[in-house]
Short mmCIF file of all heavy atoms in Angstrom, two decimals:
data_model
loop_
_atom_site.label_atom_id
_atom_site.label_comp_id
_atom_site.label_asym_id
_atom_site.label_seq_id
_atom_site.Cartn_x
_atom_site.Cartn_y
_atom_site.Cartn_z
N SER A 120 4.50 10.21 -9.36
CA SER A 120 3.96 10.50 -10.68
C SER A 120 3.35 11.88 -10.73
O SER A 120 3.48 12.60 -11.71
CB SER A 120 2.92 9.46 -11.10
OG SER A 120 1.76 9.54 -10.28
N VAL A 121 2.72 12.32 -9.64
CA VAL A 121 2.17 13.69 -9.59
C VAL A 121 3.33 14.70 -9.63
O VAL A 121 3.30 15.69 -10.35
CB VAL A 121 1.28 13.92 -8.33
CG1 VAL A 121 0.97 15.39 -8.14
CG2 VAL A 121 0.03 13.10 -8.45
N GLY A 122 4.39 14.43 -8.88
CA GLY A 122 5.57 15.31 -8.90
C GLY A 122 6.20 15.37 -10.26
O GLY A 122 6.58 16.46 -10.73
N THR A 123 6.31 14.24 -10.94
CA THR A 123 6.87 14.22 -12.27
C THR A 123 5.99 15.00 -13.25
O THR A 123 6.49 15.70 -14.11
CB THR A 123 7.02 12.76 -12.75
OG1 THR A 123 7.91 12.08 -11.88
CG2 THR A 123 7.54 12.67 -14.17
N PHE A 124 4.68 14.89 -13.06
CA PHE A 124 3.75 15.62 -13.93
C PHE A 124 4.00 17.13 -13.86
O PHE A 124 4.10 17.82 -14.87
CB PHE A 124 2.31 15.32 -13.54
CG PHE A 124 1.30 16.09 -14.35
CD1 PHE A 124 0.93 15.64 -15.61
CD2 PHE A 124 0.71 17.25 -13.88
CE1 PHE A 124 0.02 16.31 -16.38
CE2 PHE A 124 -0.22 17.96 -14.64
CZ PHE A 124 -0.55 17.48 -15.91
N PHE A 125 4.16 17.64 -12.65
CA PHE A 125 4.32 19.08 -12.49
C PHE A 125 5.73 19.58 -12.74
O PHE A 125 5.94 20.74 -13.05
CB PHE A 125 3.84 19.53 -11.10
CG PHE A 125 2.33 19.54 -11.04
CD1 PHE A 125 1.64 18.59 -10.31
CD2 PHE A 125 1.60 20.50 -11.70
CE1 PHE A 125 0.27 18.59 -10.27
CE2 PHE A 125 0.23 20.50 -11.68
CZ PHE A 125 -0.43 19.54 -10.93
N THR A 126 6.73 18.71 -12.61
CA THR A 126 8.10 19.17 -12.84
C THR A 126 8.57 18.84 -14.25
O THR A 126 9.63 19.29 -14.66
CB THR A 126 9.09 18.52 -11.85
OG1 THR A 126 9.02 17.10 -11.97
CG2 THR A 126 8.78 18.95 -10.43
N GLY A 127 7.81 18.05 -15.01
CA GLY A 127 8.21 17.70 -16.36
C GLY A 127 9.39 16.75 -16.40
O GLY A 127 10.36 17.00 -17.06
N GLY A 128 9.30 15.66 -15.69
CA GLY A 128 10.41 14.72 -15.51
C GLY A 128 10.85 14.01 -16.79
O GLY A 128 10.59 12.83 -16.95
N ASP A 129 11.48 14.73 -17.68
CA ASP A 129 11.99 14.09 -18.88
C ASP A 129 13.34 13.44 -18.59
O ASP A 129 13.94 13.65 -17.55
CB ASP A 129 12.10 15.08 -20.05
CG ASP A 129 12.99 16.26 -19.71
OD1 ASP A 129 14.14 16.03 -19.29
OD2 ASP A 129 12.54 17.41 -19.89
N GLN A 130 13.82 12.65 -19.52
CA GLN A 130 15.08 11.93 -19.35
C GLN A 130 16.23 12.61 -20.09
O GLN A 130 17.26 12.00 -20.30
CB GLN A 130 14.90 10.48 -19.88
CG GLN A 130 13.81 9.71 -19.16
CD GLN A 130 14.10 9.54 -17.67
OE1 GLN A 130 15.22 9.26 -17.26
NE2 GLN A 130 13.09 9.80 -16.85
N ILE A 131 16.05 13.84 -20.48
CA ILE A 131 17.08 14.56 -21.23
C ILE A 131 18.10 15.13 -20.23
O ILE A 131 17.70 15.81 -19.28
CB ILE A 131 16.45 15.65 -22.09
CG1 ILE A 131 15.46 15.02 -23.07
CG2 ILE A 131 17.52 16.44 -22.82
CD1 ILE A 131 14.55 15.98 -23.71
N PRO A 132 19.37 14.88 -20.45
CA PRO A 132 20.35 15.32 -19.45
C PRO A 132 20.54 16.83 -19.44
O PRO A 132 20.30 17.50 -20.44
CB PRO A 132 21.64 14.61 -19.91
CG PRO A 132 21.45 14.37 -21.35
CD PRO A 132 19.99 14.15 -21.55
N TRP A 133 20.98 17.31 -18.29
CA TRP A 133 21.35 18.72 -18.13
C TRP A 133 22.86 18.83 -18.14
O TRP A 133 23.56 17.86 -17.95
CB TRP A 133 20.81 19.25 -16.80
CG TRP A 133 19.33 19.34 -16.73
CD1 TRP A 133 18.48 18.43 -16.18
CD2 TRP A 133 18.49 20.39 -17.24
NE1 TRP A 133 17.19 18.84 -16.30
CE2 TRP A 133 17.17 20.06 -16.95
CE3 TRP A 133 18.79 21.58 -17.90
CZ2 TRP A 133 16.11 20.86 -17.32
CZ3 TRP A 133 17.73 22.40 -18.26
CH2 TRP A 133 16.40 22.04 -17.96
N CYS A 134 23.37 20.02 -18.35
CA CYS A 134 24.79 20.26 -18.41
C CYS A 134 25.13 21.43 -17.49
O CYS A 134 24.46 22.45 -17.49
CB CYS A 134 25.19 20.59 -19.84
SG CYS A 134 26.93 20.79 -20.07
N ASP A 135 26.18 21.25 -16.67
CA ASP A 135 26.61 22.31 -15.76
C ASP A 135 27.44 23.36 -16.50
O ASP A 135 28.04 23.09 -17.53
CB ASP A 135 27.44 21.72 -14.63
CG ASP A 135 26.59 20.81 -13.73
OD1 ASP A 135 25.41 21.13 -13.52
OD2 ASP A 135 27.15 19.81 -13.22
N SER A 136 27.49 24.53 -15.89
CA SER A 136 28.20 25.65 -16.52
C SER A 136 29.70 25.37 -16.64
O SER A 136 30.35 25.88 -17.56
CB SER A 136 27.94 26.95 -15.77
OG SER A 136 28.36 26.84 -14.44
N ASP A 137 30.29 24.57 -15.73
CA ASP A 137 31.72 24.29 -15.83
C ASP A 137 32.04 23.47 -17.08
O ASP A 137 33.11 23.64 -17.68
CB ASP A 137 32.25 23.62 -14.58
CG ASP A 137 31.55 22.34 -14.23
OD1 ASP A 137 30.35 22.19 -14.57
OD2 ASP A 137 32.17 21.45 -13.60
N ILE A 138 31.11 22.64 -17.53
CA ILE A 138 31.30 21.88 -18.77
C ILE A 138 31.26 22.82 -19.96
O ILE A 138 32.04 22.71 -20.89
CB ILE A 138 30.29 20.74 -18.88
CG1 ILE A 138 30.53 19.71 -17.76
CG2 ILE A 138 30.34 20.07 -20.25
CD1 ILE A 138 29.50 18.63 -17.67
N VAL A 139 30.32 23.77 -19.92
CA VAL A 139 30.22 24.76 -20.99
C VAL A 139 31.53 25.55 -21.08
O VAL A 139 32.08 25.74 -22.18
CB VAL A 139 29.01 25.72 -20.76
CG1 VAL A 139 29.03 26.87 -21.76
CG2 VAL A 139 27.71 24.97 -20.85
N VAL A 140 32.05 25.97 -19.94
CA VAL A 140 33.31 26.74 -19.93
C VAL A 140 34.45 25.90 -20.51
O VAL A 140 35.27 26.39 -21.31
CB VAL A 140 33.64 27.22 -18.49
CG1 VAL A 140 35.04 27.77 -18.40
CG2 VAL A 140 32.62 28.25 -18.04
N GLY A 141 34.50 24.61 -20.14
CA GLY A 141 35.53 23.72 -20.69
C GLY A 141 35.44 23.58 -22.20
O GLY A 141 36.46 23.59 -22.90
N CYS A 142 34.21 23.45 -22.69
CA CYS A 142 34.01 23.35 -24.15
C CYS A 142 34.38 24.65 -24.85
O CYS A 142 34.94 24.61 -25.96
CB CYS A 142 32.57 22.95 -24.45
SG CYS A 142 32.14 21.26 -23.98
N GLU A 143 34.06 25.76 -24.23
CA GLU A 143 34.45 27.07 -24.82
C GLU A 143 35.98 27.18 -24.92
O GLU A 143 36.51 27.68 -25.90
CB GLU A 143 33.89 28.22 -23.99
CG GLU A 143 32.39 28.39 -24.15
CD GLU A 143 31.80 29.39 -23.17
OE1 GLU A 143 32.37 29.61 -22.08
OE2 GLU A 143 30.72 29.94 -23.50
N ARG A 144 36.66 26.71 -23.90
CA ARG A 144 38.11 26.70 -23.89
C ARG A 144 38.66 25.83 -25.02
O ARG A 144 39.61 26.19 -25.71
CB ARG A 144 38.64 26.22 -22.52
CG ARG A 144 40.02 26.68 -22.20
CD ARG A 144 40.45 26.35 -20.77
NE ARG A 144 39.51 26.87 -19.77
CZ ARG A 144 38.92 26.13 -18.85
NH1 ARG A 144 39.16 24.83 -18.78
NH2 ARG A 144 38.09 26.66 -17.96
#
Side-chain angles (χ1 to χ4, degrees):
S120 68
V121 169
T123 298
F124 177 81
F125 285 107
T126 59
D129 58 53
Q130 301 298 316
I131 300 166
W133 292 98
C134 184
D135 293 325
S136 59
D137 57 332
I138 294 173
V139 171
V140 169
C142 290
E143 288 171 334
R144 203 172 305 124

